Structure formats: C-alpha cells, structure tokens
Amino acid sequence: MSSSTAAVDFEKEYSPSLNIKRFQNYEKPYEKVVQHFISQGKAATTLAFRNHKVRENVRYGGLNDNQLVDIIYNDSEFGSPIFAYIHGGYWTSLDKSSSGTFVGPLLEQGYRVLLVDYNLCPTVTLEELCEQIRNFFKWLQHYAKETQPNSISICGHSAGAHLLCQIFNEDFLGQQQPELYAINHLFLISGVYDLRELWELTCCNENNKLGLDAVRAEHLSPLCWSYNKKLLLLHNKQDLQVHVMVAENDSSTFIKQSHSYAEKLKSIALKKILLNINKMSKTLQEEDTNSTLFYARNEYYIGNFLGSVNFVLPEQGTASTELLSYMYLSYLAIDSGRLVASYVKEDNETPLLAFRYMHEAFEQPEKIEDILSKLMDKVAIDEDETNIWHIATAIIYCYNNQFENALKILHGSNNLESMALSVQCLLRMNRIDLAKQLMGKMQEISDDHTLTQLAQAWVALSTGTEQMQDAFHIFQEFCEKYKPTPLLLNGQAVVHIGLERYEEADAVLREALTKKHNDYDTLINLMVLAHLTGKSSETITRYWDQLQQFFPKSEFVLDMENKSAEFDKLCSQYSVEETLTQA
C-alpha cells in the first residue's frame, strides 16, 4: 500500500462524520451529521438551562479566557452527585453550549451536571490546553470539598476523552492533594489516545492548528505515557472505575484505539477497567443482555408485527410481562385479538389483562365506556412499572377519538412510548406546536431512539412540504437499517404524495402491498393517489371495496359512508324533480 493511499484511508478513519450510518441520503451527509449534532446539542442545553438552576461561566482557571464551567442543578448544589462533561471537536472546535444532550436525564436522576469549556487550538497549544484541563481537575477537588457530592463521574468524548486522560498524567500528581476526592467513574467515549497518526491529517489538524510534530505527538499520546505508580495507587484507593467506550459504527481505528487503551490501563494495574462497544449507559447494557425485549419492542415500533411476535414466541413460557406485552400489542395490530383473549383470561392478575380489555373494546365499541371505567380504576390503584395500563387506556381513548382524555392519562410521563403516543394525539388535534415541544423533550431523553425518530418524522409530515424530506430520510433509514414494512413505506409514500412525486409514491405503495395485501393505510393512500393522478373510477372503487370488505368498522370507512349517505340525502332533497314537486 502506498503512503498516499494510507493517508486517504486515515483521513476517513479519523473523520467520524464519514463513518456514521445516518443521513446518507443527503447530498453531503457528513455536513448534515455535524449540523444535526450541534443543533441537537444546543437545543438540549438551552432546554436544560430553561428548566433548571444554572451557575454559568464559573471560572476554574486562567483570566479572560475560556477556562469556564457551567453548573446545572435541581434545588441545591450541595450533596448531589457530580457528572462533569468535557466536549470533543479535535481540540479546535465546539464548546459547552452544544454539550447538553444528556443533561436532562441526568438531572432527573438527581445529578448536577458540569459542562466544561476550554480554549481551542490554535489560540493555545495542545500542551497548554492539557494544562487547562488539569486546572479543572484541581478546581474540581476544591469544589467537591465545598459541596460534598456523594460521587463524582467525569466523561470525555473524542478529543474530550483524550483530555480526560490527563487525570492519569504524572504532571497531575504535582498539582494534587495527598488524596483524590471521591472520583468514582471515568467515561472515555470514542477517544483519541494515539496522536502519532493523526497529527499530519487534514481532517483533524488542518494547517497544523495543533502545532504538533512527531515528538510532541508522541509525548501527548496517552498510549505512550509512563504512568506514575503513586498516582495509580490513589485512584485504586478510591475504587475508581474506568469505562472505555466506543460505538459499533465508529471506524476500525477508533475501535482499535479504545481496545488498546483499555488494555494499557489494565496493564498498569488499574483494578476496574470496563471496555464497552456501543453500550453508552448502564440502561443500554442491561437492555442488550435482554436482547429479545429490545428486538421485540423495536419490531413493533417499525410495524413489523409478525417479527415482534416471532421474537417473543420462543420465550413465551418464561417471558416477562413487558416482553409479552409487545406480542399482544402486535396481535392486536394485525387484527388477531382473539389470540390475546385465548392467552389472557378474565381472572389474569397482571397488567396483561389490559390487552384483553383492548380486544373487547375493538370488537364491541358499544361497551367502550364500561371498559374505560375498568381501565381507569386500574390506572388509579395499580402500581404499574411497565406502563401497560396507561398505554392501553390511552390507546382506547384514541380509538374512540377522545384525544384530550388520552393526553390526561399520558401527561407528565417521561416514558418514550407515552410521549410518542401523546405526540400522535396532539397531531390529531392539530396542535403541531405542542407536538414539536414534546418531540423536543423526547430528543433530550434519547435523540436516536426509534420512537424519537418516528415522532420527528410524524411532526415533519404534519408541518408541510419544507420539512417533509426530513421525514422521508428517517423512514428510508429505518427501511435500510431494519427492513421495509407497510408502516415505513406508507410514511415514504405520504412524503412523495405531499411533494407531488406521484410515480415514486405509486412504486412505494406497490411494494407495501407485497408486504401485506390488505394493509389499511396502503389501501387508503392508493385510493387518494388514484384520485390525484386521474385514475379511472373503477380503480378507485376497487380500493374502496377492499377497505369496506376488510375494515368495515374502521374510522375512515365509517366516516366515508356517513359522508356518502349525507351527500345522497342532500342530492335527493335538492334534486330538480323534488324542487318541481314542492313548487
């Protein structure tokens, strides 16, 4: 391999925005990635500042520079655990204003969050920047002694992870007190631990903004350091846990560096080193070990209902209530509620009884009020960690067009399923403004969650043509990442119809029919498309007949039949013959 080829490969390897799977349908996906990252971070930070107490621009070192930290907290800074975050940006870009994506969830768990800023290269050298971060660690020790946190966690992302490694630099020992104060966890996310390859690359050191040469790059590489045994002893005494983390879609170079650095830390006798690939929190780690639940849930979200059922069936005998819930919801979605009734008996004492009630409500609409009364009693008295009673009750309210009552049931929940259902209710009520606000809160909790992405697409569709293409990309991404389903394909079709791309809409809807020949949304969209493209009345009537045959009790069919009857009545009332008779 020639040196020029290697350089080209490394340019991509060290460009995270070129390795991400999202936004690949955009003309310049790497620019969209960066734009999305910054805009979402700024929005989440602004929201956190609005909803919580803040001490902004607290100085941890220097004079008239960016050695500043924002402290965001609930009621008091005293006593609560600290989570400090050091942003990335290859030491030359970004700042704390776009660092708050995770702040909301941490504050809800009782943390106070510190967003750390620093001067960027080339206004300072990289050595001086590292010195600033050591100033932050020194300040943090004093701040902790004043405010008595019960734990301290520090997180660094990308270049921020490199800077966080200064806590292992023997230069730090000279600044330190005899003991480190309660630093319990370090989170090194997609870090850069070896600068010997990247210092010559344009993607991260254009015009040598970092002021490096081969010797200085090695000196600043955590993988190349000698580690002071006295400092390591202090860390081990505090039972420090180091989490070296990297995303599965990071480049092979980033993954290799994380592996190498984790092994380096283990080799120097740090006791607790955890290497995680694509596991960014304890919650996600636990979910991964129970992958059946993750996949069953995700298949249900994207409309692959049989796929969801097939994940659950092999474990049905030992499955948790939460796992079974997605099988029953999927059965209801494919109009197989009788299976729910056969599995869930009337004397069932778990929240799964809610799905039997849902089946009864769908089959006997005249009994909905009685069923809702039973469900409301359960919502009021039953401690439901799975959220099943609330979701089932809200779904039945929506089925009965009682969207305000559904919102009351779901109000105040930080459960993403409840929030996504609330977004749908608000859109049905034409409250796009409130739906956007709620979608923003979902993004603050988990921007990449399937439901958050779908909610973003729903809002974009409702907003109009300017935002529709964003919705298309979300549906397209899910089709490529998982598999096309009628739900995802109909989402794409609605975008095509809204943008008057009728041929593309027809092709997508034909594909949806191959997935399910009598899909409700597909038939409706085909009928609408036939009207818009001037198809024959026979074609339109064929779709209408199928809707009446397969979905005689559906809202769309009943509404159309009522409108048709009203139209016939008006025609009869105002016909020429009727008018002459009256005369």
Side-chain angles (χ1 to χ4, degrees), residues 72-117:
I72 313 168
Y73 58 99
N74 291 310
D75 298 319
S76 171
E77 292 180 63
F78 188 85
S80 57
I82 289 174
F83 189 98
Y85 179 74
I86 305 170
H87 69 81
Y90 274 136
W91 309 280
T92 61
S93 64
L94 303 181
D95 57 43
K96 59 184 171 64
S97 70
S98 58
S99 298
T101 306
F102 54 85
V103 172
L106 283 170
L107 289 166
E108 289 174 8
Q109 296 299 316
Y111 283 86
R112 59 185 133 151
V113 179
L114 279 57
L115 302 180
V116 183
D117 228 346

Side-chain angles (χ1 to χ4, degrees), residues 160-372:
H162 167 269
L163 295 173
L164 178 50
C165 292
Q166 292 301 312
I167 205 164
F168 299 125
N169 191 324
E170 60 182 353
D171 292 339
F172 177 46
L173 187 64
Q175 298 184 4
Q176 262 318 113
Q177 308 299 324
E179 291 189 11
L180 292 172
Y181 188 98
I183 298 178
N184 307 96
H185 295 273
L186 300 180
F187 297 92
L188 303 168
I189 302 178
S190 298
V192 183
Y193 310 110
D194 190 343
L195 280 59
R196 290 174 294 179
E197 291 174 342
L198 67 78
W199 74 271
E200 295 183 284
L201 300 178
T202 301
C203 65
C204 41
N205 192 25
E206 187 175 11
N207 300 321
N208 200 12
K209 290 181 181 179
L210 303 178
L212 295 178
D213 54 32
V215 174
R216 294 175 67 199
E218 181 173 352
H219 176 71
L220 289 164
S221 296
L223 271 170
C224 301
W225 291 344
S226 298
Y227 288 80
N228 186 292
K229 292 183 179 179
K230 186 176 179 181
L231 179 58
L232 297 177
L233 185 63
L234 290 176
H235 285 306
N236 281 331
K237 184 178 178 181
Q238 292 294 336
D239 201 29
L240 176 69
Q241 294 188 35
V242 184
H243 307 259
V244 183
M245 312 172 85
V246 63
E248 71 173 333
N249 289 329
D250 274 331
S251 70
S252 58
T253 296
F254 270 88
I255 293 174
K256 179 182 177 181
Q257 285 207 18
S258 291
H259 275 275
S260 298
Y261 193 57
E263 291 303 315
K264 172 83 172 183
L265 294 178
K266 290 178 182 178
S267 72
I268 60 176
L270 273 177
K271 291 180 179 177
K272 295 187 177 181
I273 310 298
L274 305 173
L275 175 65
N276 296 324
I277 298 180
N278 201 34
K279 298 179 178 72
M280 294 308 188
S281 70
K282 182 178 178 183
T283 302
L284 288 183
Q285 290 180 55
E286 292 173 349
E287 182 172 75
D288 186 67
T289 62
N290 189 8
S291 59
T292 302
L293 174 59
F294 172 81
Y295 288 115
R297 180 161 46 203
N298 210 64
E299 294 297 309
Y300 172 73
Y301 293 157
I302 64 171
N304 184 16
F305 303 118
L306 286 177
S308 182
V309 170
N310 289 334
F311 272 112
V312 181
L313 276 176
E315 301 183 20
Q316 186 175 359
T318 57
S320 67
T321 296
E322 187 174 10
L323 180 56
L324 288 171
S325 72
Y326 293 100
M327 182 173 74
Y328 296 147
L329 281 167
S330 295
Y331 279 143
L332 290 165
I334 59 176
D335 200 25
S336 295
R338 64 188 182 283
L339 293 175
V340 177
S342 67
Y343 287 131
V344 183
K345 305 302 181 184
E346 293 182 6
D347 59 353
N348 190 293
E349 296 182 355
T350 73
L352 295 175
L353 181 60
F355 300 116
R356 183 183 181 91
Y357 288 156
M358 286 178 64
H359 168 61
E360 291 174 356
F362 298 157
E363 290 298 309
Q364 305 173 71
E366 69 278 5
K367 294 185 178 180
I368 279 183
E369 292 303 327
D370 291 338
I371 293 170
L372 282 169

